[in-house]
Amino acid sequence: FEYCLKGRHLSEGFDVRSQREALNLFHEACAADPHYPAPLLGIARGQMNLAVLGAAPPGQIVPRVKAALKQALALDPELAEAHCLMASVVSRHEWNWPEAERHFHRALRLAPHAAEVHDEYASSYLAPLGRVEEALAENRMARELDPFSPQLPRSYVFILLLARRLADAERECRRVLQ
């Protein structure tokens, strides 16, 4: 558990070095307890972060991420974070909208008060499908649930950009910078 906490804290640094250190801790946690799903979730998230940061090609990372998430879900089918990350992966990298929707709805049922789930549902599923008003409502709910998250305003701007609401996106960027 301590390895997972330290790994999660490191992964929030969102730089390549921190991600690699976090991954080492998650692997140590897996070695200590192969039946604990949290380190598998950390491995999946850390691998995706490396891809987002440009340190690894998504084509190589996505199969590893999905394997870790499937293993985590086999250990705990009610792990909302794993369903959420699986939904994000299949929507962003495979455009498998029906599978993404199933995982998002399961995650929302399991963790209705998790800001991250509402945010990912908005930015990885609703907005790309052009369901902008629903996406904005989900993002608003996420921001109400976690008003201090630095990620949620970025997602809000992303949704506004997809909706071509450039003036609103610029206004939000200026607000965040202040």
Side-chain angles (χ1 to χ4, degrees), residues 80 105-115 117-118 138 141-142 145:
H105 285 179
R106 182 104 183 249
L108 287 164
R109 246 187 344 271
L110 292 168
H113 301 293
V117 175
H118 288 280
E138 287 291 329
M141 182 179 298
L145 290 167

Side-chain angles (χ1 to χ4, degrees), residues 36-166:
Y36 184 37
L40 294 164
L41 180 63
I43 289 169
R45 183 175 283 114
Q47 291 286 337
M48 283 309 301
N49 288 345
L50 286 176
V52 169
L53 290 166
Q60 290 177 0
I61 294 295
V62 168
R64 285 188 261 168
V65 168
K66 287 182 71 176
L69 290 172
K70 285 178 183 178
Q71 192 176 354
L73 287 168
L75 292 170
D76 183 357
E78 304 295 301
L79 193 58
E81 287 179 292
H83 283 288
C84 181
L85 187 53
M86 182 69 84
S88 293
V89 169
V90 299
S91 65
R92 291 180 185 209
H93 297 281
E94 298 175 354
W95 305 298
N96 185 339
W97 305 112
E99 184 178 351
E101 183 177 40
R102 279 192 302 279
H103 282 289
F104 274 128
H105 285 179
R106 182 104 183 249
L108 287 164
R109 246 187 344 271
L110 292 168
H113 301 293
E116 177 184 339
V117 175
H118 288 280
D119 178 52
E120 283 295 320
Y121 181 51
S123 61
S124 296
Y125 183 76
L126 295 171
L129 291 177
R131 295 166 59 182
V132 174
E133 293 309 315
E134 291 173 81
L136 291 170
E138 287 291 329
N139 179 268
R140 189 176 317 108
M141 182 179 298
R143 287 184 289 140
E144 288 170 6
L145 290 167
D146 186 357
F148 302 108
S149 169
Q151 172 57 39
L152 303 179
R154 290 191 296 258
S155 295
Y156 181 59
V157 170
F158 171 74
I159 296 165
L160 291 171
L161 289 172
L162 282 179
R164 307 254 191 278
R165 291 172 50 181
L166 304 181

